[in-house]
Amino acid sequence: MNYKDKIDKTNLPKHIAIIMDGNGRWAKEQGELRVFGHKNGVTAVREALEAAVEIGVSYLTLYAFSTENWNRPEFEVNALMELLVNSLNQELPTFQANNIRVNTIGKTSDLPDHCQVTLASTIDQTKNNTGCTLTLALSYGSRQEIVEATKRIAEKVKNNELDPSDINEETISQHLYTYDMPDPDILIRTSGEERISNYMLWQIAYSELFFLPIMWPEFSREHLFECIYLYQNRERRFGKTSEQL
């Protein structure tokens, strides 16, 4: 019996977030350039998305390009931008056929113009799809996100639109990029690294974390099913005791 058959369909995570790590190291192990790993990582994205759709996960968010990634060699950054455009164009029929809505979070105004155009077009063409929402975190950094949210809240206070005494956790959440989606139930990181790397720091306060020893190009749908199965066998207490659940 595989992991998919073991999953309780009545207790699915609503939102899975993934840090897709290890493309470059995987390529080096193959004796190839880092770009080779990024290209092969697209297959893993397809595996994760198809698995999410197949099992019924409503939200899948992928850490595709961080604010820190702009510091990488120009050749690699340019290759990643072209890969983004080509992948969106190539996968659009799949998005439509599987009722997938494409979304993005991050400072996407930093992306090259042609990337912004393709991304906006894909988002517009899939906006009425009602199945899984695929969110691409692009030029994304969680600290930056929280700073921007704080500025927007401060502006409302300054304009007497919000009383400081009314600010609570919900106020913060509603001013983040992810205001219109639930917090992740599961966070997965590949490559064996066990850190968060400035990804959804506010939102993952009670997420179940899974650090996989495989590189991202090796990720398959069975890995996603395994994480869901293990998630269902963890006790999520949210600060309470087992007896209170």
Side-chain angles (χ1 to χ4, degrees):
M1 181 183 293
N2 57 33
Y3 282 106
K4 180 187 174 185
D5 295 331
K6 300 177 182 179
I7 292 173
D8 177 3
K9 302 291 182 59
T10 67
N11 182 32
L12 292 173
K14 292 181 180 179
H15 186 178
I16 296 177
I18 303 179
I19 300 174
M20 306 180 294
D21 194 21
N23 286 333
R25 277 169 284 170
W26 180 85
K28 288 180 68 175
E29 290 174 359
Q30 315 300 314
E32 300 284 352
L33 297 175
R34 292 175 57 85
V35 173
F36 180 76
H38 295 307
K39 290 180 178 178
N40 279 271
V42 173
T43 301
V45 170
R46 192 178 298 116
E47 284 280 305
L49 181 56
E50 289 179 354
V53 171
E54 187 178 335
I55 204 69
V57 174
S58 299
Y59 296 87
L60 178 67
T61 301
L62 306 178
Y63 204 2
F65 194 86
S66 72
T67 50
E68 293 79 15
N69 286 156
W70 290 112
N71 296 319
R72 292 189 173 186
E74 184 178 359
F75 170 77
E76 183 174 347
V77 170
N78 290 339
L80 284 167
M81 294 300 110
E82 291 305 315
L83 186 59
L84 170 65
V85 170
N86 293 337
S87 297
L88 288 173
N89 286 329
Q90 190 172 16
E91 298 298 328
L92 181 59
T94 300
F95 297 151
Q96 301 293 43
N98 290 279
N99 199 25
I100 296 165
R101 182 172 74 93
V102 177
N103 182 38
T104 188
I105 57 174
K107 199 175 178 183
T108 53
S109 58
D110 288 342
L111 300 177
D113 289 344
H114 69 296
C115 291
Q116 293 185 49
V117 169
T118 301
L119 185 61
S121 175
T122 305
I123 290 172
D124 182 64
Q125 292 183 72
T126 62
K127 65 183 180 183
N128 294 321
N129 292 344
T130 58
C132 181
T133 295
L134 171 64
T135 299
L136 303 175
L138 294 162
S139 193
Y140 174 87
S142 186
R143 288 184 173 183
Q144 170 189 281
E145 175 185 27
I146 293 170
V147 167
E148 290 185 9
T150 303
K151 287 180 178 179
R152 287 194 292 271
I153 293 170
E155 191 68 24
K156 288 185 177 181
V157 171
K158 178 183 176 181
N159 295 333
N160 295 316
E161 299 172 23
L162 180 65
D163 192 294
S165 63
D166 292 330
I167 297 174
N168 54 28
E169 290 186 11
E170 185 62 23
T171 308
I172 306 296
S173 295
Q174 287 302 310
H175 287 81
L176 298 175
Y177 298 143
T178 55
Y179 68 92
D180 59 348
M181 64 179 78
D183 289 341
D185 300 293
I186 293 174
L187 172 68
I188 300 170
R189 181 176 187 144
T190 55
S191 85
E193 302 288 356
E194 297 185 1
R195 55 178 177 268
I196 305 305
S197 296
N198 198 18
Y199 186 45
M200 303 183 91
L201 300 177
W202 177 276
Q203 297 91 332
I204 63 169
Y206 279 101
S207 301
E208 295 297 323
L209 309 182
F210 295 90
F211 298 105
L212 307 186
I214 60 167
M215 301 299 176
W216 178 245
E218 300 169 313
F219 188 89
S220 70
R221 64 183 62 206
E222 188 66 10
H223 290 110
L224 191 85
F225 294 147
E226 180 181 4
C227 288
I228 294 174
Y229 171 75
L230 294 174
Y231 157 85
Q232 291 181 339
N233 284 275
R234 291 185 181 182
E235 185 176 75
R236 306 184 78 204
R237 295 188 296 275
F238 300 97
K240 298 179 180 179
T241 66
S242 299
E243 291 73 22
Q244 288 177 293
L245 298 178

